[in-house]
Amino acid sequence: MSTTESGKTLVTLIPGDGIGPEVAFSAQRIVDATGAPIEWDLQRAGAEVFKQGLPSGVTPETIESIKRSRVVLKGPLETPVGFGEKSANVTLRKLFETYANIRPARELPGVTTPYTGRGIDLVVVRENVEDLYAGIEHMQTPGVAQCLKLISRKGCEKIVRLAFEFARSEGRTSVACATKSNIMKLTEGMLKRTFEEIALEYPEIEAWHVIVDNCAHQLVKRPEQFDVIVTTNMNGDILSDLTSGLVGGLGFAPSANLGSDVAIFEAVHGSAPKYAGKDTINPTAMVGAAVMMLRHLGMFEQASAVENALLATLESGVATRDVVGDDAAVGTTAFTDAVIGNLGKRAASFREREYRPIQMPSFDPSPVRVVPSRRAVVGVDVFVESALQPGELGPEIERLAEGSALRLKVVTNRGTQVYPSTGTLTDCVDSYPCRFVPAAGGEVSDADILDLLNRVAAEHTWNHVEKLYSFDGEPAFTKAQGED
Ligand code: NAP
């Protein structure tokens, strides 16, 4: 955090696009009315910046401001079609390695939902930079696309530690880890295993695992059983939209993107362009994000003042059109004025938590190398592009490998063994991973692989090669369906 000459804390304020300025300035006005010692540095990102020809959607001045302040309150940013390639949101998230996305969902007074009275009060802690959202995609053939689901031990450790530290900071007593480790044993399984190890360091917090699809089911059936949920990026994206829906929807969903150096606070919703400038939208999500920001800055008193005033306003029935419809609604400005007028009041039906600063886990920024005591290359997968039937391709590949150090073990298609045939009715596409193992046992050398590739390339197009490792005697790859 950075302190200005006037002794205030510097915060970069990005109003954003569409309804962004309305919600951002609403939150700013309410925070200022508490007397919080904040100096705002107004900066630009989003549609306007894309139109200027900056493909990242973020100006160098904005980046410099964030480097100084390390704290951002950000309105939604549009990703315009036709300008630039990347989302300015993703640019900011990646530039500043905000690896954790924290999304609370709590029943709010005055906001009636099918779950009213159930006492929902949970937080999704979503990994924010890895997984399928690392955006590493390739076309294997013109008809077969792949996306790499990248999960690292370091990434898992960061998000799990942060989830437990977050739980501690809010006095929460349970952390559930939601994964699909029953299917993706190496990637999703890595989060589960890391969670189980690190949980031992937090004995006062109940730690449990739930398969992510059941987690979605349980969230709809009995959401009150959850406290903190930690999960991978895509699971968290989906689950946290679900949890927002349980407590009133996007107009009420705040979020924090936390990293070791920088924290970005924002509403979950987008720029809702059709409402831009109409003074009708609900600023609650953005005001909630500002409350999270104030706590991050250690301004607990002001955070509590804003939260209580906001909830007292909602409880009194003052609400925007998304809550009460057009006839009974107040506009964004009037709602903001009502919150400011309620500073000092409390909602009767709301129990406030006790908050402590989050002890942000510290990590070595250098690349982490996980070193096994033994490692070996025990085979290789070569992906071959072919329109042949498996029963024709398999013998051809066996013939090409004849006399080499490797023998064809199995040909698969979309994860299922298709050669030698096991009798399954696989609808094959034109990318066939062919798995080779040493013909005479032992390990596989790079020279063996290069020789094999030359042989295969003589008659076929190959598009991808993957070494098969064993680490500490354990296979570091999965088997295809049907493979022994
Ligand atoms: P959106 O802007 O979130 O709007 C979807 C709908 O949600 C709105 O039409 C409205 O529903 C409701 N809504 C959203 N915010 C509201 C608020 N504050 N008060 C009341 N209702 C609200 O989603 P989108 O239309 O898919 O996305 C628009 C743009 O935003 C896109 O360019 C997208 O890339 C961007 N986006 C940015 C972020 C971000 O910056 N973090 C996040 C998501 C999307 P009704 O129509 O039912 O009234």
Side-chain angles (χ1 to χ4, degrees), residues 74 76-79 89 266 268-272 274-275 282 322:
K74 183 185 86 58
L77 305 178
E78 198 184 307
T79 309
N89 290 307
E266 62 181 335
V268 169
H269 63 71
S271 59
K274 68 180 175 185
Y275 295 121
N282 185 355
D322 54 315

Side-chain angles (χ1 to χ4, degrees), residues 81-104:
V81 181
F83 299 97
E85 282 206 338
K86 301 276 179 200
S87 142
N89 290 307
V90 177
T91 301
L92 286 172
R93 210 174 286 166
K94 297 246 172 180
L95 260 180
F96 296 104
E97 188 73 22
T98 52
Y99 63 85
N101 183 235
I102 313 268
R103 282 181 58 170

Side-chain angles (χ1 to χ4, degrees), residues 139-145 384-386 430-431 463:
M139 296 300 291
Q140 288 183 356
T141 71
V144 180
V384 174
E385 179 173 346
S386 175
D430 61 359
S431 184
N463 57 54

Side-chain angles (χ1 to χ4, degrees), residues 69-279:
S69 68
R70 295 168 184 263
V71 181
V72 185
L73 186 63
K74 183 185 86 58
L77 305 178
E78 198 184 307
T79 309
V81 181
F83 299 97
E85 282 206 338
K86 301 276 179 200
S87 142
N89 290 307
V90 177
T91 301
L92 286 172
R93 210 174 286 166
K94 297 246 172 180
L95 260 180
F96 296 104
E97 188 73 22
T98 52
Y99 63 85
N101 183 235
I102 313 268
R103 282 181 58 170
R106 185 169 184 177
E107 183 175 331
L108 298 168
V111 183
T112 307
T113 73
Y115 292 91
T116 294
R118 301 272 290 267
I120 295 173
D121 181 7
L122 60 87
V123 181
V124 176
V125 177
R126 162 190 169 195
E127 201 288 324
N128 218 15
V129 288
E130 295 197 335
D131 195 8
L132 292 161
Y133 292 15
I136 308 166
E137 294 191 294
H138 299 94
M139 296 300 291
Q140 288 183 356
T141 71
V144 180
Q146 75 166 28
C147 178
L148 208 61
K149 182 174 167 77
L150 201 91
I151 305 274
S152 72
R153 164 72 202 194
K154 188 177 187 181
C156 291
E157 199 175 325
K158 286 167 89 166
I159 196 67
V160 169
R161 283 196 187 283
L162 188 94
F164 279 108
E165 290 298 341
F166 175 82
R168 266 189 184 163
S169 76
E170 297 210 341
R172 293 180 180 268
T173 54
S174 149
V175 179
C177 176
T179 76
K180 194 70 184 171
S181 54
N182 51 333
I183 303 294
M184 288 166 273
K185 296 180 194 308
L186 299 184
T187 50
E188 292 276 315
M190 186 178 279
L191 181 70
K192 179 173 183 281
R193 287 188 295 278
T194 309
F195 175 78
E196 286 162 353
E197 273 172 42
I198 290 175
L200 301 175
E201 297 174 34
Y202 298 85
E204 79 282 14
I205 297 174
E206 181 200 14
W208 53 293
H209 177 258
V210 58
I211 298 286
V212 68
D213 37 344
N214 184 32
C215 184
H217 168 240
Q218 293 294 329
L219 276 168
V220 173
K221 271 191 82 177
R222 215 158 56 79
E224 57 276 19
Q225 70 185 289
F226 290 96
D227 198 352
V228 174
I229 301 169
V230 62
T231 189
T232 46
N233 201 340
M234 186 159 133
N235 290 339
D237 192 6
I238 298 166
L239 287 185
S240 60
D241 259 35
L242 188 161
T243 57
S244 302
L246 300 176
V247 294
L250 287 177
F252 296 96
S255 79
N257 298 288
L258 302 184
S260 299
D261 298 315
V262 168
I264 302 173
F265 298 86
E266 62 181 335
V268 169
H269 63 71
S271 59
K274 68 180 175 185
Y275 295 121
K278 298 217 166 102
D279 194 32

